[in-house]
């Protein structure tokens, strides 16, 4: 097909995508004539246009005698049409649905406090509202600011470390030390860290402790204790972003290819791949939701999935992201609205003065 789609071709493509999303079955010209167009367009006309859409790469035919299903390019074009000149009636209907969706999201976030809880709730809410995996990614602990650290003795050589950051992130970790420390020594170490480093960037704390160890090696025993405890409580892995995932079982409803599904689940379990995917496609300077197809170009294990994501600002103003990974057959309007509104919720909770 040369040139842009005609109005009729666009209407047929949209009808095919929406019918396929609803049923999951290949769509025939007869079905479209009856269900989508109420026989205002003949099956023969629709069939000819479907052939043209297939030639343009917008439709696939899974079997010789079957109907058609949208290709990745067809889905992409469909998404691009969602915001194109809807009618007054459609706008009114969309506004009502959007209002209900936002009320539902607001009720889920009611009473949620702290960055960890917000991220976890976000992944759960987006998974529940979509047919895929909801995720929320916060900045690494290393990029946050220290508010308070506390050490408690659980047993000989076993210590509970609790690190609280300015964004509300709470990191607790049981430490196995090479020697035992008394409650007095633990209190001295936590006091040293709190007095010298409250309000500091977590990564900067690590660097400054290393410097002090070199220059004040023989001066303070409390410094040695503080360094050992801090290195155990905040290991190098803390420089990785915090990732929450929920709804992986949603993908088990689509086990068309068991080998592909296993590769997909393995890719999701290795959360760093998701971070890399977001870094490749989502710019923190963007303010809108982005829908990305052909994820296999970046991560082969995610073939067949679509990324719907938006940047979000967490409590301390650092950048993160929220979104959904779902099969192509999803409710795009609902998912895009949900992701966009959740990103707004992040901004509102970060700055209560935001309307």
């Amino acid at each position: 097909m040369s040139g842009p789609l005609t109005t009729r071709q666009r209407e047929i493509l949209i009808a095919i995508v929406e019918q396929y999303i609803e049923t999951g079955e290949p769509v025939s010209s007869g079905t479209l004539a009856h269900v989508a167009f109420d026989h205002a367009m003949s099956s023969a006309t629709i069939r000819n246009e479907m052939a043209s859409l297939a030639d343009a790469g917008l439709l696939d035919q899974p079997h010789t005698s079957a109907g058609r299903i949208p290709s990745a390019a067809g889905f992409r074009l469909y998404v691009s049409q969602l915001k194109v000149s809807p009618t007054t009636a459609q706008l009114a209907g969309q506004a009502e649905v959007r209002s209900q969706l936002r009320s539902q999201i607001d009720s889920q976030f009611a009473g949620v406090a702290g960055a960890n809880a917000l991220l976890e709730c976000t992944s759960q809410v987006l998974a529940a509202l979509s047919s895929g995996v909801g995720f929320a990614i916060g900045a690494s602990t290393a990029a946050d600011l220290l508010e308070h650290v506390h050490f408690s003795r659980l047993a000989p050589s076993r210590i509970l470390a609790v690190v609280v950051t300015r964004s509300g992130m709470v990191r607790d970790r049981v430490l196995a030390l090479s020697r035992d420390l008394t409650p007095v020594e633990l209190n001295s170490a936590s006091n040293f860290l709190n007095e010298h480093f409250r309000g500091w960037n977590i990564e900067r704390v690590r660097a400054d402790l290393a410097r002090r160890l070199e220059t004040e090696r023989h001066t303070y025993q409390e410094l040695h204790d503080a360094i050992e405890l801090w290195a155990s409580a905040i290991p190098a892995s803390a420089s990785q972003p915090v990732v929450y995932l929920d709804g992986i079982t949603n993908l088990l409803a689509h086990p068309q290819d068991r080998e592909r599904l296993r590769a997909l689940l393995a890719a999701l379990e290795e959360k760093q791949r998701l971070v890399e995917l977001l870094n490749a496609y989502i710019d923190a300077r963007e303010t809108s939701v982005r829908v990305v197809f052909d994820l296999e170009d970046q991560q082969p294990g995610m073939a067949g999935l679509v990324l719907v994501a938006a940047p979000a600002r967490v409590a301390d103003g650092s950048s993160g992201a929220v979104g959904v990974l779902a099969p192509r057959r999803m409710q795009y309007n609902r998912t895009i609205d949900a992701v966009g509104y959740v990103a707004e919720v992040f901004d509102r909770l970060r700055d209560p003065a935001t309307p």
Side-chain angles (χ1 to χ4, degrees), residues 59-179:
L59 297 178
D60 291 329
Q61 188 172 20
H63 308 291
T64 303
S65 59
R68 308 277 181 157
I69 64 173
S71 65
F75 275 112
R76 187 183 295 110
L77 186 58
Y78 168 78
V79 170
S80 73
Q81 297 297 310
L82 290 179
K83 299 180 181 179
V84 176
S85 302
T87 65
T88 301
Q90 287 173 328
L91 281 173
Q94 290 172 8
E96 182 178 353
V97 171
R98 185 174 291 115
S99 177
Q100 293 173 352
L101 177 66
R102 293 186 172 196
S103 294
Q104 185 178 354
I105 292 173
D106 286 339
S107 67
Q108 294 295 315
F109 280 109
V112 176
N116 264 352
L118 179 60
L119 292 168
E120 183 176 11
C121 184
T122 294
S123 65
Q124 294 169 354
V125 167
L126 290 176
L129 292 173
S130 72
S131 54
V133 176
F135 65 82
I137 298 178
S140 66
T141 306
D144 210 343
L145 304 180
L146 176 65
E147 176 60 29
H148 182 75
V149 60
H150 178 72
F151 303 113
S152 299
R153 187 175 184 271
L154 299 177
S157 301
R158 291 182 66 80
I159 306 299
L160 173 64
V162 179
V163 178
V164 182
T165 68
R166 287 280 171 90
S167 70
M169 197 78 72
V170 179
R171 183 187 183 95
D172 56 83
R173 186 181 179 92
V174 176
L175 314 179
L177 302 182
S178 58
R179 63 190 180 89

Side-chain angles (χ1 to χ4, degrees), residues 33-324:
H34 174 66
V35 174
F37 298 106
D38 196 23
H39 299 290
M41 198 181 301
S42 71
S43 295
T45 298
I46 294 173
R47 189 160 49 250
N48 289 336
E49 296 290 20
M50 288 173 70
S52 297
L53 292 170
D55 290 341
L58 300 174
L59 297 178
D60 291 329
Q61 188 172 20
H63 308 291
T64 303
S65 59
R68 308 277 181 157
I69 64 173
S71 65
F75 275 112
R76 187 183 295 110
L77 186 58
Y78 168 78
V79 170
S80 73
Q81 297 297 310
L82 290 179
K83 299 180 181 179
V84 176
S85 302
T87 65
T88 301
Q90 287 173 328
L91 281 173
Q94 290 172 8
E96 182 178 353
V97 171
R98 185 174 291 115
S99 177
Q100 293 173 352
L101 177 66
R102 293 186 172 196
S103 294
Q104 185 178 354
I105 292 173
D106 286 339
S107 67
Q108 294 295 315
F109 280 109
V112 176
N116 264 352
L118 179 60
L119 292 168
E120 183 176 11
C121 184
T122 294
S123 65
Q124 294 169 354
V125 167
L126 290 176
L129 292 173
S130 72
S131 54
V133 176
F135 65 82
I137 298 178
S140 66
T141 306
D144 210 343
L145 304 180
L146 176 65
E147 176 60 29
H148 182 75
V149 60
H150 178 72
F151 303 113
S152 299
R153 187 175 184 271
L154 299 177
S157 301
R158 291 182 66 80
I159 306 299
L160 173 64
V162 179
V163 178
V164 182
T165 68
R166 287 280 171 90
S167 70
M169 197 78 72
V170 179
R171 183 187 183 95
D172 56 83
R173 186 181 179 92
V174 176
L175 314 179
L177 302 182
S178 58
R179 63 190 180 89
D180 197 18
L181 293 176
T182 67
V184 172
E185 290 171 321
L186 293 174
N187 188 56
S188 178
S190 61
N191 286 341
F192 178 87
L193 291 168
N194 291 325
E195 289 171 8
H196 288 83
F197 299 111
R198 179 177 280 114
W200 282 43
N201 176 284
I202 297 292
E203 192 59 44
R204 187 181 167 204
V205 175
R206 188 198 313 278
D208 195 77
L209 284 174
R211 180 190 62 78
R212 287 176 182 240
L213 182 62
E214 289 300 316
T215 60
E216 305 172 28
R217 182 179 298 275
H218 304 294
T219 307
Y220 304 112
Q221 180 59 45
E222 65 182 4
L223 173 61
H224 291 268
D225 294 340
I227 289 173
E228 182 179 7
L229 289 164
W230 183 264
S232 301
I234 308 292
S237 60
S239 63
Q240 298 299 322
V242 180
V243 181
Y244 284 88
L245 292 176
D246 202 273
I248 290 180
T249 55
N250 287 344
L251 301 180
L252 298 178
H254 310 275
Q256 295 91 342
D257 182 333
R258 292 186 179 276
E259 287 301 321
R260 186 188 68 81
L261 185 61
R262 273 196 288 269
L264 173 64
L265 295 178
L268 290 175
E269 288 171 0
E270 194 172 329
K271 294 177 182 179
Q272 181 59 28
R273 297 191 184 185
L274 182 57
V275 175
E276 292 170 359
L277 201 67
L278 268 293
N279 289 339
Y281 290 117
I282 306 301
D283 190 329
R285 293 169 297 182
E286 294 178 353
T287 57
S288 60
V289 179
R290 185 169 183 192
V291 182
V292 183
F293 296 86
D294 301 324
L295 297 180
E296 59 271 22
D297 291 347
Q298 284 287 333
Q299 297 290 351
M302 294 186 184
L305 287 186
V306 178
L307 172 69
V308 182
R313 296 284 177 182
V314 292
D316 63 345
S318 57
S319 60
V322 297
V324 168

